[in-house]
Amino acid sequence: MSTVLSDIAAQPAPSSSVRAFIGKKPRLLINGEWVEARSGKTLAVFDPATGSEIARVAEAGVEDVDRAVAAARAAFESGPWPEMLPAAREALLWRLADLIEQHAAEFAEIESLDNGKTRFMASIVDVPGARNYFRYMAGWATKIEGTTMQTSIGGVPGAKFHTYVAREPVGVVAQIVPWNFPLAMAAWKLAPALAVGCTCILKPAEQTPLSALRLGELIREAGIPPGVVNILTGLGETTGAALVAHPGIDKIAFTGSTEVGKLISKSAADTVKRVSLELGGKSPVIVLPDADVNGVVGGAANAIFFNSGQVCTAGSRLYVHRTIFDRVVEGLSAAAGEIRLGPGLDQATQMGPLVSKEQQERVLGYIESGRKQGAAVLTGGEAPSHPGYFVKPTIMVNVRPEMRVVREEIFGPVLVAQRFDQLDEVVKAANDSPYGLGASIWTNNLSAAHRLIPRIKAGTVWVNCHNMVDPNMPFGGFKQSGVGREHGRVAIDMYTELKSVCMLV
Ligand code: ADP
């Protein structure tokens, strides 16, 4: 039918193994067992490419949150996990990574069906990214260290002190993740916490719970002890909020919108939980006059259209020097017009739908607000006539700094393009945002790049590339884009407490 309505292909049928998995009874992973929600309530999961229900998952309530916290607490206080030899934890995390690798094709299919992204992208980005992340963080388990120090404590004649600082796992961690990279975000959260000996309660986004549940099956298969990882599917306002308020949790790690990040900060303050937040962005792409126009066109198109623009570091504000603005924007318009929309499991698809009806409406609402405020739509600007949640790749020009499309995070395939003349002007414009997650600079002038980098208020600055991440490269935001950094050594610091020990000898 859909081919009659538009040129978007029909979603091919999923494989029988994925059909069997998504047809399983709705359940939660608590203390190493698959259990139903106490209330028996369930939530529907939709295929964004068709808008039809494909699965149901359990909706965890307050009682389930209590059960999961009790299991994680017991596993932390008296279970084997924090006491295990670090090398044994490392080996279990590697085993989990190997299992992800063995099931890579299945994960790519699940991720595509659940989120809408293409199976191809999931198979080259999300799934290997998650696998590599567990491997990278597994290595940290054996590398935690402390320091000894000199002290000058006076007042005790003849006394000597042996003083050192040790690192200990922070405890029970609740990890709340979004829907744009469901498996990879789960890996970013679980891997460092598990490496240092924390126990976890993972809450995937209600729109995309499936890959976390499959990961839960592999966590059991790998032999990670009961209670070390608990997985609660459910809504943000209920399950998520109950986790954040729960007195039995030591730390909240959250990736999602700035709006929810603020709510979480406030709620977690009541029990002074440790909080790390990776929030929204409105990342500038700054193109200097000497840049290679063809390279910029390809790079800027990827920066905004990768994952249908549903990326917290998406290059959503384009600033091009006046001398090459028209060429860059014409090239981008042509590139955007050629992107083939379709369902994620169809091999010919280059860009999938957005994750949900709500997100599609939100993005279309932003485009409309831009039009009303006087912006011009060069390409796209609408949804194809199709029941899936598609939005055409969109480029807007004639925008002004105060417009909502320039100021707010759209989280969809919508680029706003602006001209600049002077470097000072573009620095001011790029930093004129409550966000500060990422930015990219496009130039072959090394000196100009080095002068610009320190002036841009962002947690990551890319030069002649965009959206590149690595487990060893700290990731996080300035300003309202977050608190703390993920990846690398700093992620280990985030999941540990320092203990100063001062011993009279
Ligand atoms: P988006 O707006 O892009 O859907 P959200 O920030 O709402 O992103 O969601 C990210 C994650 O936060 C999801 O797992 C969601 O269920 C969860 N969440 C949403 N609201 C709350 C809340 N009030 N408390 C805790 N978690 C929440």
Side-chain angles (χ1 to χ4, degrees):
M1 263 309 276
S2 55
T3 46
V4 178
L5 291 170
S6 70
D7 55 2
I8 288 174
Q11 174 79 293
S15 64
S16 55
S17 63
V18 165
R19 278 209 303 275
F21 167 70
I22 64 179
K24 283 185 179 171
K25 256 195 354 220
R27 35 207 196 133
L28 308 166
L29 181 62
I30 299 180
N31 206 23
E33 301 292 335
W34 289 107
V35 296
E36 283 179 33
R38 279 271 158 82
S39 67
K41 282 193 190 167
T42 60
L43 295 170
V45 181
F46 299 93
D47 175 354
T50 62
S52 29
E53 181 176 322
I54 51 167
R56 294 202 78 85
V57 295
E59 183 184 342
V62 172
E63 278 181 278
D64 306 307
V65 168
D66 283 341
R67 283 197 288 169
V69 174
R73 177 58 58 193
F76 185 73
E77 302 296 348
S78 48
W81 193 248
E83 296 302 320
M84 192 179 274
L85 288 181
R89 278 204 306 271
E90 177 184 27
L92 285 173
L93 293 179
W94 263 90
R95 196 178 294 163
L96 178 59
D98 289 346
L99 286 170
I100 294 172
E101 186 163 77
Q102 277 168 34
H103 296 277
E106 192 189 336
F107 268 117
E109 204 180 330
I110 292 171
E111 211 67 330
S112 171
L113 262 183
D114 204 5
N115 164 279
K117 66 180 68 200
T118 66
R119 173 168 43 192
F120 173 70
M121 270 302 160
S123 73
I124 62 166
V125 177
D126 303 62
V127 182
R131 175 202 64 201
N132 292 348
Y133 209 78
F134 278 108
R135 288 183 179 157
Y136 172 87
M137 286 296 169
W140 273 110
T142 54
K143 291 163 194 71
I144 317 285
E145 57 183 18
T147 45
T148 58
M149 57 201 49
Q150 302 286 314
T151 53
S152 304
I153 302 166
V156 191
K160 275 188 163 253
F161 295 94
H162 170 48
T163 313
Y164 64 94
V165 176
R167 260 184 200 283
E168 295 181 0
V170 73
V172 174
V173 185
Q175 305 181 308
I176 300 176
V177 295
W179 42 256
N180 55 345
F181 295 92
L183 179 67
M185 290 298 113
W188 286 20
K189 293 288 178 281
L190 290 174
L194 295 176
V196 303
C198 291
T199 59
C200 304
I201 301 158
L202 175 73
K203 196 204 85 62
E206 49 270 47
Q207 296 86 347
T208 56
L210 299 177
S211 57
L213 293 171
R214 186 69 185 105
L215 185 66
E217 295 185 343
L218 300 187
I219 283 169
R220 288 181 84 214
E221 194 178 328
I224 292 174
V228 172
V229 179
N230 304 275
I231 300 177
L232 299 182
T233 49
L235 298 173
E237 313 84 79
T238 53
T239 320
L243 282 168
V244 175
H246 203 291
I249 287 172
D250 299 299
K251 175 183 161 74
I252 304 287
F254 171 76
T255 297
S257 60
T258 293
E259 189 192 346
V260 172
K262 289 178 186 175
L263 289 176
I264 287 179
S265 281
K266 286 180 192 154
S267 167
D270 283 340
T271 42
V272 196
K273 291 184 180 72
R274 282 79 189 107
V275 177
S276 52
L277 304 171
E278 199 268 274
L279 307 176
K282 189 79 182 173
S283 300
V285 173
I286 302 167
V287 184
L288 303 193
D290 72 285
D292 160 49
V293 169
N294 288 336
V296 168
V297 166
N302 265 325
I304 182 64
F305 299 132
F306 168 57
N307 215 40
S308 306
Q310 302 167 121
V311 181
C312 50
T313 50
S316 50
R317 288 185 290 150
L318 178 69
Y319 296 96
V320 187
H321 193 264
R322 185 174 296 279
T323 49
I324 54 171
F325 180 85
D326 289 341
R327 282 160 63 209
V328 168
V329 167
E330 274 160 28
L332 268 169
S333 269
E338 279 167 16
I339 295 174
R340 193 182 168 103
L341 295 184
L345 298 184
D346 182 2
Q347 283 186 7
T349 296
Q350 292 171 321
M351 192 169 115
L354 302 190
V355 73
S356 62
K357 183 89 195 138
E358 188 191 1
Q359 190 62 15
Q360 183 196 36
E361 282 167 3
R362 206 177 107 93
V363 171
L364 291 172
Y366 269 113
I367 296 172
E368 202 38 48
S369 89
R371 277 202 182 98
K372 281 205 180 114
Q373 292 187 297
V377 173
L378 267 191
T379 331
E382 58 179 9
S385 161
H386 188 274
Y389 314 136
F390 296 91
V391 173
K392 292 185 183 170
T394 299
I395 298 174
M396 301 184 100
V397 291
N398 297 349
V399 295
R400 292 185 311 278
E402 70 279 8
M403 289 182 180
R404 288 182 61 211
V405 285
V406 176
R407 301 209 70 76
E408 297 177 22
E409 183 177 45
I410 299 176
F411 226 64
V414 182
L415 178 70
V416 293
Q418 298 169 78
R419 295 178 177 80
F420 72 90
D421 289 300
Q422 302 295 329
L423 277 190
D424 283 350
E425 181 194 340
V426 76
V427 167
K428 193 159 167 263
N431 289 334
D432 180 19
S433 167
Y435 297 113
L437 194 57
S440 61
I441 300 168
W442 298 76
T443 181
N444 291 311
N445 180 340
L446 268 182
S447 165
H450 279 298
R451 282 168 182 269
L452 213 44
I453 291 163
R455 300 181 69 190
I456 300 296
K457 297 194 189 315
T460 303
V461 177
W462 291 285
V463 180
N464 295 327
C465 60
H466 198 107
N467 282 338
M468 300 293 143
V469 291
D470 185 90
N472 205 28
M473 196 171 102
F475 182 83
F478 281 31
K479 301 193 269 183
Q480 294 189 27
S481 285
V483 175
R485 293 290 182 272
E486 302 194 89
H487 308 348
R489 210 233 131 81
V490 280
I492 299 304
D493 296 351
M494 250 183 12
Y495 286 101
T496 47
E497 291 276 16
L498 290 181
K499 182 174 281 175
S500 291
V501 180
C502 178
M503 188 187 292
L504 178 63
V505 294

